Amino acid sequence: MRISVITLAVFAMALCSCKKEKTLSEEELLTSRDWIGISVTRQNGPGEPINETLANAPDCLKDDIYVFRHDNLFLRLEGASRCTVTKPDVVSSASWNLSVDKKTFTLGTGTNSIMKLTADSLVYQVNGVAPEIRIIRYARKD
């Protein structure tokens, strides 16, 4: 019986020491950290070749930072390598809103379909550019 009580006590302490990670909402996933673009693919329609356009962009665009702010303002900021030294830090800005079902979001006047949203990855398809299929991928900025 004594072994059972000790075993239970150790088990209870182990349970209490485990921390459950908080599940973030879609809004929290978008706004909790900054993003960096890792891929922009364009396809002229189903079955057509897929072209990676970010890979061919100048380095000064590849390191830009994308921010979804809590006040629904989206910012594109200059990264470490600036295209023009005299350019302001904020390259562009727009409002953003997540849909009620969390499957789409508007960015400015454009609607985008969320394909993947995790703590480390955002992938979405730009709507309204048919027949082109445009997929944008972001990773969390460290």
Side-chain angles (χ1 to χ4, degrees):
M1 184 70 160
R2 183 178 173 125
I3 293 173
S4 299
V5 172
I6 292 172
T7 304
L8 275 174
V10 170
F11 181 72
M13 287 188 326
L15 259 173
C16 292
S17 67
C18 293
K19 290 183 180 178
K20 185 177 178 181
E21 283 193 34
K22 178 185 173 196
T23 302
L24 299 176
S25 70
E26 286 82 354
E27 290 91 348
E28 290 170 323
L29 288 170
L30 283 170
T31 61
S32 62
R33 289 185 42 205
D34 298 341
W35 299 92
I36 190 156
I38 57 170
S39 173
V40 177
T41 57
R42 293 180 174 187
Q43 187 177 14
N44 289 329
E48 295 293 320
I50 298 172
N51 300 305
E52 170 56 59
T53 58
L54 186 60
N56 299 321
D59 289 340
C60 63
L61 295 178
K62 291 179 188 176
D63 69 351
D64 284 358
I65 301 161
Y66 301 87
V67 181
F68 290 86
R69 290 187 2 183
H70 294 283
D71 63 357
N72 293 89
L73 183 64
F74 173 82
L75 301 172
R76 179 175 153 220
L77 307 173
E78 282 282 1
S81 60
R82 301 172 70 91
C83 291
T84 306
V85 178
T86 57
K87 238 182 174 181
D89 288 342
V90 178
V91 176
S92 61
S93 64
S95 62
W96 73 273
N97 285 292
L98 194 59
S99 65
V100 174
D101 65 6
K102 315 297 187 210
K103 293 180 181 177
T104 63
F105 69 95
T106 56
L107 185 55
T109 58
T111 302
N112 306 283
S113 297
I114 297 172
M115 301 170 76
K116 179 181 179 184
L117 177 57
T118 67
D120 299 314
S121 178
L122 167 61
V123 180
Y124 65 87
Q125 180 172 341
V126 178
N127 298 332
V129 292
E132 180 183 78
I133 300 167
R134 189 179 312 162
I135 309 290
I136 300 178
R137 293 170 179 82
Y138 293 109
R140 290 284 183 182
K141 183 180 179 316
D142 293 330

